[in-house]
Amino acid sequence: MKEQLENIKRSAISEIETSGTVKVLDDIRVRYLGKKGELTSVLKSMKNLSKEERPIIGQVANEVREMLEVSIKDRKLSLEKVEQNQRISAETIDITLPAKKVVVGKKHPLDKTLEELCDIFIGMGYEIVSGREVENGYYNFDALNLGKEHPARDEQDTFYINADTMLRTATSPVQVHTMENQSLPIRMVAPGKVYRSDEVDATHSPIFHQIEGLVIDKNITFGDLKGVLAEFAKKFFGDKVEVKFRPHYFPFTEPSAEVDVTCVMCGGVGCSVCKGEGFIEILGCGMVHPKVLEMSGIDSKKYQGFAFGMGIERLTMLKYNINDLRLFYDNDVRFLEQF
Amino acid sequence: MNVPMSWLKEYVKIDVDLKTFVDKMTLSGSKVEKVEETGKEITNVVVGKIIAEEKHPDADKLRVMKCDIGSEVVQIVTAATNVKVGDTVPVALAGADLAGGLKIKKGKLRGVESNGMFCSVEELGLTKDQFPESPEDGIYVFLNSQDMKLGEDVKPYFGLGEQVVEYEITSNRPDCFSILGIATEVAATFNTEFLFPEITVKETAEDCRKLAKIKIHEPELCNRYAGRIIKNVKVKDSPKWLKDKLISAGLRPINNIVDITNFLLLEFGQPMHAFDYDKLVGHEINVRLAKSNEEMVTLLGDTIKLDDSMLIIADAEKPIAVAGVMGGEETKVTEETTTILFECANFNAYSVRQTSKKLGIMSDSSKKYVKGLDPENISYAIDRAAQLINITNSGDVLGGLIDIYPVPRKAITIPYDVDWINAFLGINISKEEMESIFRRVRFVVDPKNCLVTIPTSRPDVTMNADLAEEIARMYGYDKIPVTLERATPTVGGKTYFQKTEDRITQMLRNCGAYGIRTYTIESPKIFDKLNVAKDSALRNVIAIQNPLGEDFSILRSTTVNSMLNALSLNNNKRNDSAMLYEIGKIFIKTDNQLPDEVEKIMLGLYAPNADFFALKSVAESLIDSLAIENASYVRNQELDFMHPGRCANLIIGKNNAGFLGEIHPEVLKNFGFNQKVYVMELDLNTIINATKKDLVYKPLPKFPSMERDLAVIVNNNILVGDMINLINERGGKNLVSTELFDVYEGEQVDKGKKSVAFNFKFRAVDKTLTDEEVSKSLKKILYALESTFEAKLR
């Protein structure tokens, strides 16, 4: 009987080791260890053995059973692994195939620039203010120190609705509304559309966008104006940018300045964009004219401030190397999807 | 303002290289636009004297000349007929560049070596007008050859090789529209002496004041009018030095009288006019307003109609000039003129500007007047003109000056506050340094009382802020230290409205829409293109008085045209699909001066498989993402440009938030579309106001929900939206959601009917609902549908 057990063990082990699939292995288990299995029937016939023999054979039989169970389990694990690997390999796909597209739109490049500018100034403590596009003469001109006979009133090619109503020629009227309505101190930027009677071409448009900035507080200096705009230029154009302030004239600021920065195209070496100068003009600014403060009811002896304004189209064209302003208003999707 | 460097240097001593000059002038406020050298392309043309001539052995029309150019004698073969031995001429040597890119090379002409070319004025880029002594067709021969050095560059003689600097002059500095004005700025910038020209006039004994009467009738519009009379006038060419000056500044010499007035226009920035004295009726000058029926023929021969807003100069009878704008034909100086009256006046800038605009005439004179001139300049300028008459031997200057100047402009004196200026600029310079800057810009300083007297040429300076500008620009903007504000801190940021606007555009982009920018001004023709009824309120637009053309002549009252234009451009460029959005304004007329400016969210799309619901899904996503409640859609058949069966209004609560739908087929045709287009225009304010500012958490349900389906048959004109509204109204408090899952018309149902199937979810807050309770609710819904829409259970 012992010999019989040994034979079962030998043949079962050899079958287990050569089994190729989990299914075959399962059949082997049933054949040997199942209710009617070979080993089971040997165990069943043990009752015919003598008292002395029974424990000895019983121990051998148990050993054989355990051994077969362990072998089956091990074999099963390795077979499952093989089968899983086969499945995985069969499931391999071409991951370079393009995915199904979810179209997400994009911001208009002018909006992108506007948002970037607003973010920079919000970080410096500014609020965003918007204003009317149709203004009266007081807000568009008079309150900005452009009296009826001021020559600059002619230089700005104004679209008139009637003698005293016009499309705003700059975002500057927002300064006046803000000074009239807001408590001090003021730190604000005002982005928006402005209108001038320029024919459409690659660098002109009767409608374009500006952003205006205004700070009114005690102890504001021209040095602060330089500081804020230099900081802005670094954030917008990058840390390496060099900033230059040049005297200029605006009726509503005194002293006034124009600001040049290192040419973004050539990095200051000189190119066609900067006309060989290495610098390009990006904005106008100045200390708010005391008359402008007084007209809006602010005591110019106690408060000072500065204001600045820049063209969004120009900044955007510089930023993305766009050479024709009309592209902004054509709204061709092939243009819009690039931003 | 163009200023030749050599002319400038007559009034100010400077010795710096051009680059330094340009940079410093720009930094002190006179921005240099560019520097141009006259005759820059001309090289290697020198003075030569012809010392021998021979016939060409092989050509009758050529001569072989020997020409002394100082260092050597060169052989030149010429076809010119007007030169001979002894003439001094401009010689282009081998390697020379001439006007128009012509290059001179060594060569042989019919076998004889030629090492250069004699030049005409044209070959030097000049004209015979400028050098009338040059022959009609031939080589220029120097007149005063004894003064010329052989071998010398000819450019200075012809007024070429001049560095002309162009300055951008801002409108607060009309004084800088003159060479003297620029010279004062140069002197201030380089802290060097300004040399005012020495003016002396030789007058005859006769007093001109007895010969003419000048009267200013409108002292508001003309605060000074001065005149001088010149007798025995000889109208002729100006001397070379005068012509050279004008040429270098870009003006064409005409004759001595015109050239002298042009010289003054450049030097002092003061326009002058010369009348033929003998043609002035009554020998009178009246500065008055024109009468509304008056006319005048201008110097250029055009007849112009005057009106009673225009300031004119008249003799005893008629207009003879439009003040500051243009002289008249009748009294102009001609070759026959023997006596002239010089006008040197100050006219109101605004008045000249208005008149010049109305007449459409911009002259060199009006361009100066519109800037606003200093009347104090006048006596110097008219004397300077008289001096030039003396120098050029152009006539006899009579004694005296007729000078009508009722209210002279006075120099103002203002206090300066050193501490305030330092604090305002963020610098710290001494009182003495500030005072020295004031002196540099020609202010008169009273240091004891801290007062400065401002010259009359600088009416832009009236207060400490203006003085601060003078200090800043002379001290150097670049030297002012950069600081960061140390004043009251503020917290920046966007308002709820602005943030919500950002959320809206973000949502639209998530739906696939691209941001666009459109024009808010458009053509009134768009209303026909949009099929808008003649009596529609949309046509009641705000018009621009002075438009660029019809295309940009009204403010838009709807965004639809803007959107269709943008979509149509994409369609025409064959982009297969486009979904675009913008937040922009429309303008609505009001009873007030200013229109209402209403911000709209616009969105438009076309795509191969798009339909109304592609658009509606954007609207629904937007409403959901903003947590807006009570939104519903009702049919809108009122809009002329929309498909009446495929257009809805979005209603939020009781407010109409805008419309969405398909564009009317006829309008599609008008815009050249070959496919359907969908647009939406929503009111930004209504949308943002409907958003919930404060969201409050609702506890998650504790009990399970029960689902039920219900399919009914109704007439196919019943709106599903109405059915859902009714269900929500009657479904009871336990009905938590109603979803439409099928609408069917076809074989399975009768004609004219449709089957509509819903899925309902019921749930109670406080218990698990029983089957009976849910069935009861469902019965109520069915009953409501039956009784309201004659629905039949399917």
Side-chain angles (χ1 to χ4, degrees):
Chain A
M1 199 155 194
K2 202 174 168 187
E3 203 173 311
Q4 202 182 345
L5 283 171
E6 282 297 324
N7 284 339
I8 289 173
K9 182 177 123 189
R10 215 178 301 116
S11 69
I13 295 270
S14 125
E15 278 184 55
I16 289 166
E17 277 171 1
T18 55
S19 67
T21 67
V22 175
K23 173 111 188 24
V24 171
L25 186 66
D26 224 36
D27 291 346
I28 295 168
R29 188 184 55 79
V30 171
R31 196 140 35 81
Y32 288 96
L33 301 175
K35 274 182 190 165
K36 289 173 185 166
E38 285 183 38
L39 185 63
T40 317
S41 52
V42 171
L43 288 175
K44 273 181 191 159
S45 64
M46 264 180 41
K47 59 181 186 255
N48 304 328
L49 293 177
S50 69
K51 250 184 197 163
E52 294 75 27
E53 266 182 323
R54 216 182 285 166
I56 298 163
I57 296 296
Q59 196 189 343
V60 174
N62 274 332
E63 277 171 12
V64 171
R65 191 177 60 194
E66 271 170 35
M67 196 177 183
L68 291 190
E69 279 173 351
V70 169
S71 304
I72 287 172
K73 204 177 150 199
D74 288 353
R75 183 65 189 163
K76 193 172 180 186
L77 275 177
S78 76
L79 281 178
E80 274 173 354
K81 187 104 187 163
V82 169
E83 281 183 13
Q84 181 168 299
N85 285 344
Q86 281 169 351
R87 198 164 57 240
I88 284 173
S89 126
E91 282 172 2
T92 298
I93 52 164
D94 177 0
I95 46 77
T96 66
L97 289 175
K100 202 172 162 192
K101 229 179 199 125
V102 177
V103 180
V104 174
K106 290 180 176 173
K107 278 178 197 156
H108 191 274
L110 293 175
D111 283 327
K112 232 178 140 168
T113 304
L114 269 174
E115 192 149 296
E116 198 176 332
L117 294 170
C118 286
D119 283 347
I120 290 172
F121 286 106
I122 285 173
M124 294 198 243
Y126 289 61
E127 290 181 340
I128 316 292
V129 180
S130 54
R132 303 189 55 85
E133 290 172 23
V134 182
E135 279 288 2
N136 64 30
Y138 179 77
Y139 287 102
N140 199 59
F141 293 124
D142 298 336
L144 293 163
N145 201 23
L146 280 135
K148 194 166 154 261
E149 300 193 0
H150 200 288
R153 234 167 140 143
D154 276 2
E155 284 168 16
Q156 301 181 342
D157 308 307
T158 312
F159 283 124
Y160 283 93
I161 305 300
N162 59 44
D164 191 44
T165 314
M166 66 279 301
L167 288 161
R168 67 175 176 190
T169 48
T171 39
S172 314
V174 185
Q175 282 188 32
V176 183
H177 290 289
T178 308
M179 287 190 283
E180 284 180 351
N181 300 327
Q182 223 166 289
S183 56
L184 299 170
I186 291 168
R187 268 183 199 80
M188 69 90 170
V189 286
K193 281 191 168 105
V194 301
Y195 300 79
R196 301 216 187 140
S197 60
D198 283 324
E199 296 281 354
V200 178
D201 66 25
T203 54
H204 293 90
S205 163
I207 300 181
F208 57 101
H209 297 76
Q210 281 188 338
I211 189 166
E212 188 87 4
L214 177 72
V215 171
I216 310 275
D217 201 348
K218 288 175 179 161
N219 306 317
I220 298 285
T221 71
F222 191 85
D224 296 339
L225 163 66
K226 282 183 71 177
V228 165
L229 292 177
E231 187 66 20
F232 149 74
K234 277 194 182 147
K235 287 197 165 132
F236 190 79
F237 291 108
D239 279 337
K240 283 187 196 148
V241 79
E242 206 186 313
V243 184
K244 282 206 293 203
F245 289 75
R246 260 188 299 109
H248 197 69
Y249 169 73
F250 302 107
F252 36 91
T253 50
E254 182 80 330
S256 307
E258 277 186 340
V259 177
D260 299 339
V261 296
T262 321
C263 177
V264 291
M265 297 300 165
C266 63
V269 198
C271 64
S272 63
V273 171
C274 61
K275 293 180 195 127
E277 308 232 325
F279 278 84
I280 40 168
E281 181 194 320
I282 54 156
L283 63 88
C285 62
M287 300 298 285
V288 179
H289 200 294
K291 280 187 196 160
V292 172
L293 291 174
E294 297 288 343
M295 275 188 278
S296 295
I298 293 172
D299 184 347
S300 68
K301 288 191 187 68
K302 282 192 195 149
Y303 288 93
Q304 305 80 37
F306 57 77
F308 53 86
M310 50 197 135
I312 307 301
E313 275 79 356
R314 178 166 169 77
L315 289 179
T316 311
M317 289 169 87
L318 288 172
K319 188 147 185 138
Y320 299 106
N321 204 355
I322 295 167
N323 56 9
D324 193 333
L325 191 148
R326 287 169 288 205
L327 287 166
F328 293 133
Y329 295 96
D330 276 355
N331 299 310
D332 188 325
V333 170
R334 294 166 301 171
F335 173 75
L336 300 173
E337 66 192 4
Q338 295 182 34
F339 298 93
Chain B
M1 179 74 201
N2 292 325
V3 180
M5 279 305 273
S6 68
W7 196 349
L8 177 80
K9 284 179 178 171
E10 292 181 15
Y11 315 111
V12 59
K13 280 191 187 125
I14 38 158
D15 187 22
V16 292
D17 63 274
L18 195 64
K19 168 113 181 43
T20 310
F21 177 81
V22 164
D23 288 350
K24 285 207 161 185
M25 288 306 290
T26 297
L27 279 181
S28 73
S30 307
K31 190 189 175 202
V32 173
E33 291 285 7
K34 59 174 189 272
V35 181
E36 258 178 19
E37 190 187 314
T38 56
K40 198 179 174 183
E41 75 275 24
I42 313 283
T43 64
N44 225 4
V45 183
V46 300
V47 179
K49 187 171 185 174
I50 301 172
I51 51 171
E53 104 164 60
E54 279 169 28
K55 279 197 163 171
H56 191 288
D58 289 332
D60 291 345
K61 290 192 173 160
L62 296 178
R63 288 184 290 163
V64 182
M65 314 295 242
K66 292 270 192 294
C67 187
D68 183 359
I69 56 160
S71 54
E72 59 178 311
V73 174
V74 290
Q75 175 170 296
I76 291 172
V77 179
T78 184
T81 52
N82 73 315
V83 287
K84 58 185 188 303
V85 171
D87 284 349
T88 306
V89 291
V91 182
L93 299 175
D97 294 292
L98 298 178
L102 182 62
K103 270 191 182 310
I104 303 302
K105 284 182 245 158
K106 269 189 188 180
K108 282 185 178 173
L109 276 167
R110 293 276 189 109
V112 178
E113 192 175 307
S114 181
N115 295 320
M117 190 179 97
F118 302 139
C119 299
S120 66
V121 287
E122 284 85 357
E123 279 153 345
L124 298 172
L126 304 160
T127 66
K128 291 205 180 67
D129 287 337
Q130 297 167 349
F131 296 90
E133 70 276 14
S134 67
E136 195 42 51
D137 186 21
I139 304 305
Y140 183 81
V141 179
F142 292 114
L143 293 177
N144 303 310
S145 53
Q146 65 278 6
D147 302 340
M148 312 286 298
K149 213 175 139 207
L150 299 184
E152 226 174 29
D153 193 339
V154 300
K155 281 210 261 185
Y157 177 90
F158 291 105
L160 298 175
E162 178 71 62
Q163 303 286 350
V164 180
V165 180
E166 185 187 337
Y167 301 88
E168 179 197 1
I169 308 298
T170 52
S171 62
N172 59 328
R173 292 302 302 275
D175 58 311
C176 289
F177 282 103
S178 67
I179 296 177
L180 284 174
I182 293 288
T184 59
E185 279 298 307
V186 174
T189 304
F190 293 93
N191 200 8
T192 172
E193 206 186 338
F194 167 65
L195 309 161
F196 193 75
E198 230 175 83
I199 302 174
T200 52
V201 187
K202 257 192 308 183
E203 298 178 335
T204 62
E206 193 176 2
D207 188 343
C208 78
R209 280 165 288 207
K210 289 182 182 144
L211 296 183
K213 257 190 279 172
I214 296 180
K215 187 166 182 205
I216 300 175
H217 299 261
E218 301 291 337
E220 294 284 303
L221 303 182
C222 171
N223 65 5
R224 189 174 192 181
Y225 197 107
R228 266 188 181 277
I229 294 175
I230 319 294
K231 274 195 174 172
N232 303 320
V233 169
K234 293 175 281 282
V235 178
K236 58 182 182 181
D237 275 341
S238 296
K240 183 171 176 310
W241 67 265
L242 179 52
K243 284 186 186 170
D244 282 352
K245 278 211 155 63
L246 298 180
I247 291 167
S248 68
L251 287 187
R252 219 162 52 88
I254 311 244
N255 61 43
N256 52 346
I257 305 301
V258 177
D259 291 354
I260 287 171
T261 60
N262 278 339
F263 182 92
L264 264 297
L265 194 71
L266 293 166
E267 190 184 43
F268 277 78
Q270 173 65 49
M272 288 185 62
H273 186 69
F275 293 107
D276 186 329
Y277 170 81
D278 294 319
K279 290 183 184 151
L280 302 178
V281 178
H283 298 147
E284 262 181 43
I285 292 283
N286 290 294
V287 186
R288 63 161 169 88
L289 289 172
K291 293 165 193 154
S292 45
N293 52 355
E294 279 181 314
E295 287 189 347
M296 190 190 87
V297 180
T298 69
L299 279 176
L300 302 175
D302 303 318
T303 302
I304 51 171
K305 279 192 165 41
L306 304 168
D307 72 40
D308 58 7
S309 73
M310 297 175 180
L311 190 71
I312 56 148
I313 314 301
D315 60 15
E317 283 178 354
K318 60 186 183 305
I320 53 172
V322 180
V325 179
M326 188 160 278
E329 169 75 17
E330 221 174 306
T331 55
K332 78 171 182 190
V333 174
T334 64
E335 300 210 344
E336 285 77 48
T337 303
T338 57
T339 305
I340 60 172
L341 185 142
F342 264 136
E343 162 197 288
C344 192
N346 190 274
F347 302 114
N348 176 285
Y350 184 64
S351 159
V352 174
R353 205 152 68 222
Q354 297 303 104
T355 305
S356 155
K357 228 194 230 172
K358 267 190 199 166
L359 294 174
I361 301 174
M362 284 265 274
S363 60
D364 287 340
S365 153
S366 72
K367 279 185 211 155
K368 298 279 181 189
Y369 277 118
V370 299
K371 311 289 182 194
L373 300 177
D374 179 9
E376 286 294 305
N377 250 340
I378 282 174
S379 42
Y380 299 104
I382 198 164
D383 282 358
R384 179 69 159 163
Q387 181 185 26
L388 293 176
I389 292 284
N390 292 156
I391 293 172
T392 57
N393 214 1
S394 302
D396 301 330
V397 179
L398 300 197
L401 173 71
I402 314 172
D403 188 6
I404 314 298
Y405 192 20
V407 189
R409 185 188 276 191
K410 286 209 178 68
I412 62 157
T413 299
I414 54 171
Y416 58 91
D417 182 338
V418 173
D419 294 339
W420 187 90
I421 292 172
N422 269 327
F424 188 63
L425 295 176
I427 55 175
N428 188 14
I429 67 174
S430 68
K431 180 168 180 280
E432 289 70 32
E433 193 176 349
M434 268 192 205
E435 285 160 355
S436 93
I437 289 177
F438 290 146
R439 288 191 191 95
R440 272 163 67 181
V441 294
R442 300 163 56 77
F443 297 174
V444 179
V445 185
D446 171 0
K448 216 176 96 196
N449 299 309
C450 289
L451 295 173
V452 276
T453 302
I454 314 298
T456 52
S457 57
R458 294 293 309 276
D460 60 308
V461 180
T462 62
M463 55 169 80
N464 266 310
D466 302 322
L467 295 173
E469 183 192 24
E470 298 302 305
I471 297 293
R473 69 191 186 94
M474 287 300 155
Y475 177 74
Y477 276 28
D478 52 330
K479 281 195 234 149
I480 297 176
V482 168
T483 50
L484 278 176
E485 307 169 43
R486 58 200 173 285
T488 337
T490 47
V491 178
K494 289 187 174 176
T495 59
Y496 175 78
F497 191 96
Q498 289 161 346
K499 285 181 191 161
T500 310
E501 198 177 322
D502 288 350
R503 281 167 62 200
I504 291 170
T505 57
Q506 183 61 55
M507 189 63 214
L508 299 179
R509 289 192 293 278
N510 290 350
C511 291
Y514 286 96
I516 58 169
R517 282 278 160 175
T518 58
Y519 279 177
T520 38
I521 47 183
E522 52 195 17
S523 161
K525 283 194 178 140
I526 63 122
F527 295 112
D528 291 340
K529 211 171 163 189
L530 289 174
N531 269 1
V532 168
K534 295 287 175 207
D535 59 351
S536 164
L538 285 178
R539 288 185 186 256
N540 187 17
V541 290
I542 293 150
I544 295 171
Q545 234 178 24
N546 56 333
L548 279 173
E550 198 183 31
D551 283 353
F552 301 117
S553 62
I554 59 158
L555 301 190
R556 70 180 175 199
S557 56
T558 166
T559 62
V560 173
N561 176 61
S562 302
M563 183 50 77
L564 290 181
N565 275 336
L567 290 170
S568 129
L569 177 125
N570 281 285
N571 185 48
N572 292 340
K573 302 260 175 185
R574 297 172 192 273
N575 298 332
D576 350 314
S577 67
M579 193 197 297
L580 310 173
Y581 79 88
E582 186 186 6
I583 293 184
K585 285 180 176 175
I586 62 161
F587 300 82
I588 298 168
K589 248 190 194 167
T590 64
D591 294 335
N592 307 320
Q593 180 188 356
L594 299 176
D596 279 342
E597 299 182 3
V598 186
E599 281 189 289
K600 297 291 183 188
I601 306 166
M602 45 180 137
L603 183 132
L605 68 96
Y606 70 81
N609 298 312
D611 60 10
F612 173 84
F613 297 99
L615 181 70
K616 192 176 176 186
S617 89
V618 176
E620 287 184 339
S621 301
L622 185 65
I623 295 301
D624 285 351
S625 74
L626 295 171
I628 291 174
E629 290 174 351
N630 302 322
S632 61
Y633 298 83
V634 299
R635 192 182 288 293
N636 179 349
Q637 293 177 305
E638 309 297 311
L639 296 170
D640 302 327
F641 41 83
M642 301 301 282
H643 189 307
R646 294 181 174 183
C647 179
N649 278 347
L650 169 62
I651 307 292
I652 301 175
K654 283 177 183 155
N655 298 318
N656 183 358
F659 64 86
L660 60 155
E662 187 177 309
I663 293 293
H664 196 287
E666 211 152 308
V667 177
L668 287 180
K669 223 190 291 162
N670 295 345
F671 277 83
F673 283 106
N674 47 8
Q675 57 185 323
K676 288 176 174 170
V677 171
Y678 302 87
V679 300
M680 164 159 86
E681 181 189 272
L682 302 179
D683 188 78
L684 181 67
N685 269 290
T686 310
I687 298 285
I688 293 183
N689 290 336
T691 59
K692 262 200 185 161
K693 226 171 173 175
D694 305 304
L695 293 175
V696 177
Y697 152 81
K698 278 186 214 131
L700 301 180
K702 289 194 185 92
F703 300 95
S705 61
M706 312 266 279
E707 292 191 31
R708 287 288 189 280
D709 291 346
L710 178 71
V712 291
I713 305 227
V714 290
N715 285 336
N716 61 9
N717 61 355
I718 301 293
L719 299 179
V720 173
D722 292 345
M723 296 173 77
I724 292 176
N725 286 343
L726 182 77
I727 291 165
N728 288 338
E729 208 173 281
R730 305 279 190 85
K733 64 178 190 324
N734 294 332
L735 175 65
V736 290
S737 87
T738 306
E739 298 287 339
L740 173 80
F741 72 85
D742 186 43
V743 179
Y744 173 79
E745 273 180 81
E747 284 175 18
Q748 309 293 316
V749 294
D750 291 344
K751 217 171 172 201
K753 303 271 180 187
K754 64 183 171 188
S755 156
V756 183
F758 300 99
N759 170 274
F760 303 113
K761 253 183 208 162
F762 298 94
R763 183 170 53 223
V765 211
D766 51 356
K767 59 174 180 184
T768 304
L769 291 172
T770 63
D771 220 29
E772 280 155 36
E773 285 167 317
V774 173
S775 299
K776 220 171 132 189
S777 297
L778 199 63
K779 266 188 195 148
K780 272 191 189 167
I781 291 171
L782 180 60
Y783 176 73
L785 292 173
E786 284 169 346
S787 54
T788 312
F789 299 118
E790 294 172 347
K792 298 252 170 351
L793 187 65
R794 194 178 176 196

